[in-house]
Amino acid sequence: MAQLAKIARANGFRAAPARMQWDQLAGLGKALPAIVRLRSGGYMVIAEVRTSPQGDLVILRDPLAAPDAVLVLDEARLRAVWDGAVLLVKRQHKVSDAGQPFGMRWVVGQILRDSHLIRDILLGSLFISAFAVAPIIYWSLLFRIVLPRNSLDTLNLLVAGFVFVVVFDTILGAMRRHIILHIVSKADIRMGHHVFDRMLRLPIGFFETTSTGQVTSKLGEIGRIRGFLLNSVFGTLLDGVCLIVFIPVLFFVSTPLSLLVLAGCAAILLANLAFMPELNRRHERLVRAERDQYSHLVETVHGMRTVKTLALDARQRTLWDLLVARTARERIAFGRVQNSMKTVMAPLESLLPITVLTVAAYMILGGDSPFDMSSLIAFALLTGRTMGPLLGIAKLVERYHEARGSIATIASVVDHPAEEGLSGTGVLTPLKGTIELMDVGFRYPGTVVPAIDGLDLLIPSGSTIGIVGRSGSGKTTVTRLLQGLHADYGGLIKFDGIDIRQFDLTHLRSSIGVVLQDSFLFRGTIRENIGIAKPSCTLEDVAAAARLAGAEEFIERLPRGFDTMIEEGAANLSGGQRQRIAIARALLTNPRILILDEATSALDPESEAILSANLKRIAFGRTVIIISHRLASLVSSDAILVLERGRPAALGRHQELLADCRLYRDLWTQQNGHLGQQNGHPGQETSRGTGYVSISPPAA
Ligand SMILES: Nc1ncnc2c1ncn2[C@@H]1O[C@H](COP(=O)(O)OP(=O)(O)OP(=O)(O)O)[C@@H](O)[C@H]1O
Ligand SMILES: [Mg+2]
């Protein structure tokens, strides 16, 4: 065990060997996973302790077994093999670590990076608190010296000193606020950068299983953390610095009364803490309700076209009203707890100084203290000054819980395992375009039927291959695997003989041009959209790509040509125009591999003809994969892969498939059957030359 701990420490882990009982395992919580020693001398990893109606169960992983093999043991069976030794290990993160989980520690670490600024404001605050004693001295001197002795000179001096202190105090205060603003803004920039960066690294599967509204509202919690830092943490902590000055002065004036003040504040803090669990629970529910409401808003705005088309206004409105009502209910429930808390706190807070003063007054009347009127006033002022920061700490506890909730929410998004291959250490060799799939199988997470099963395929560099098959047969999935969008597939995928897992993902994806049926266009001009992947491109490059994609013709007819603004999602363009821009965008970077997934589905025959005519030029020197329901567009490809429910049904050229593959022949006849019987149907002729077009009903 000691040896193991040493190795762990040498590799940047914190490690603590321990002996434990079964009952203690359940309490490990976040300390898991941990290593346990077996009586046989081997080791296993406790991944998790689960509670079940039959008692706790431990989930063990054997480092020697397959990565996803787990062992579930109950108490008796674990006792039989485990000798009680546990090694607790935890990864030690540096503040600068990219892989560090997002948490309070990280946030604090970011702030502490500006330690010189923090030192400055701490010093400033000490000064300010020293000045804060000034009014007390002022009153005290006024009562002790000025008034009893009628000393006008002292009064003048006092007033001058006081004005000086006020001016200095104001300047220092302004500076302090300025520095706090800077520190928080810097932390905010780092947080924003970090969170956005982590979000971009998440695998596509995450976004397909989490709604946009949930993701955006969760990441929006950053605002709450900023508010917490800006309004609560710094204010309170810096005011807290005053305590270093005030509390000794307080004790200097009177020890018993100071103890009374401290005890009172402690009582208020405890009362505050008593409300905390309920307050947190309510707050969590409120945040959840707010988030659902926001998600619904985002979803409705996002799907507005469908909402209008299907006349879903009433449904969306009803759902919205329900969500608003739920949020309101939760807000009231939360407000009620807050309200009760304030109702209890307020009298306590106002009673404390009065109690202190009353006790002081009794002490003076009893004559057993060196207290006089002026000390009494000084003490009352000091009590007020001390209570503020102390009670501020109580409020900080409350806000801290809220901020921790926000941090956990953000962490639930950004701490999701990132895509592999983004570390910048992958292979960066330029692709030549040979693609090899060896016994590839893939199942989407959470599904039982494989989307791809036993696919073997070799696509030589520079060839054009079509993929056909019924809807849902796995065509798109193949292209997603080639882009490295999913890591957990079976078999091997290689580009130029190199496993794609070894490539740098960014490099890989920028070497593959992909056009989807509904490619997303960003807000900006057409020129910016086409050139988006290569900011250094010239207008000539953009025009050339547009020409190749058959888009130049319509772009030039637009009043502002390439400078036409496209709205988000390109609502002001037709489906076919959008597709051609997307094709031009994919061609601009001159990728070695081009994937067209139903990329021409929205094109009219004329535009498709332009594109088909260009395809030879487009395909020149590239590997092209075309997925199309219109088999006619694949006739000239070097090979066509027919997929059936994720399995390869046949592979060959058009003529071979027509002869050998029944599925292909069926698909072909369904689409082109009329070609055989094109003698014309008298009833479907359109009459021309009469000035208007009429369609006569089909003959019975
Ligand atoms: N993100 C996803 N999560 C879960 N299952 C998915 C996902 N995407 C696709 N599938 C499933 O995988 C199978 C293959 O889907 P795929 O999109 O590859 O089909 P396709 O051949 O491209 O169909 P189409 O011609 O309609 O585009 C389908 O059964 C589908 O339900
Ligand atoms: Mg598809």
Side-chain angles (χ1 to χ4, degrees), residues 156-174:
N156 288 340
L157 202 66
L158 263 183
V159 170
F162 196 64
V163 168
F164 171 76
V165 165
V166 167
V167 170
F168 210 80
D169 191 37
T170 313
I171 295 173
L172 269 183

Side-chain angles (χ1 to χ4, degrees), residues 204-205 208-209 442-447 449-452 467-480 486 517 597-598 627-629 643 645-646:
I204 189 73
E208 288 176 345
T209 50
F442 175 69
R443 208 163 45 196
Y444 282 99
T447 60
V449 189
I452 295 293
I467 304 181
V468 300
R470 297 203 171 88
S471 186
S473 55
K475 304 182 293 291
T476 300
T477 309
V478 174
T479 65
R480 287 170 63 124
H486 300 282
Q517 183 168 11
D597 187 352
E598 296 293 343
I627 296 177
S628 177
H629 281 294
L643 281 180
R645 293 201 203 135

Side-chain angles (χ1 to χ4, degrees), residues 500-664:
I500 68 165
R501 289 179 244 227
Q502 292 180 12
F503 277 98
D504 179 78
L505 263 189
T506 312
H507 167 67
L508 182 77
R509 287 180 192 159
S510 49
S511 312
I512 305 180
V514 182
V515 188
L516 304 174
Q517 183 168 11
D518 50 350
S519 288
F520 186 86
L521 299 182
F522 291 88
R523 210 184 115 81
T525 62
I526 290 186
R527 182 185 167 175
E528 285 164 356
N529 259 286
I530 294 180
I532 202 160
K534 191 177 167 192
S536 61
C537 65
T538 61
L539 183 59
E540 283 70 50
D541 299 337
V542 172
R547 195 171 317 126
L548 216 50
E552 199 184 29
E553 151 277 321
F554 90 83
I555 296 174
E556 284 183 341
R557 271 192 286 115
L558 295 170
R560 307 205 50 202
F562 280 95
D563 289 324
T564 309
M565 253 330 250
I566 305 183
E567 295 309 321
E568 179 188 305
N572 49 346
L573 293 180
S574 77
Q577 292 171 336
R578 245 176 290 174
Q579 281 191 337
R580 278 176 282 170
I581 292 185
I583 295 172
R585 177 173 69 182
L587 289 175
L588 188 94
T589 53
N590 199 12
R592 293 298 298 194
I593 297 172
L594 183 67
I595 297 174
L596 303 176
D597 187 352
E598 296 293 343
T600 56
S601 61
L603 295 193
D604 57 1
E606 197 182 343
S607 322
E608 203 183 7
I610 300 179
L611 194 70
S612 297
N614 288 347
L615 200 60
K616 258 216 167 62
R617 275 173 52 211
I618 292 177
F620 183 75
R622 285 185 231 284
T623 308
V624 184
I625 299 176
I626 306 175
I627 296 177
S628 177
H629 281 294
R630 273 186 236 161
L631 303 192
S633 57
L634 301 177
V635 171
S636 60
S637 15
D638 299 317
I640 299 171
L641 169 73
V642 186
L643 281 180
E644 189 171 18
R645 293 201 203 135
R647 308 194 113 264
L651 177 70
R653 295 186 68 99
H654 169 68
Q655 288 303 337
E656 297 162 13
L657 291 177
L658 266 190
D660 305 336
C661 177
R662 183 147 173 222
L663 175 61
Y664 187 81

Side-chain angles (χ1 to χ4, degrees), residues 399-437:
R399 300 282 324 264
Y400 171 75
H401 279 279
E402 288 178 19
R404 237 181 39 173
S406 298
I407 287 180
T409 306
I410 296 178
S412 72
V413 177
V414 299
D415 283 350
H416 197 89
E419 279 186 305
E420 281 166 32
L422 289 174
S423 57
T425 53
V427 177
L428 290 170
T429 28
L431 292 193
K432 293 199 191 71
T434 308
I435 304 172
E436 212 175 335
L437 289 96

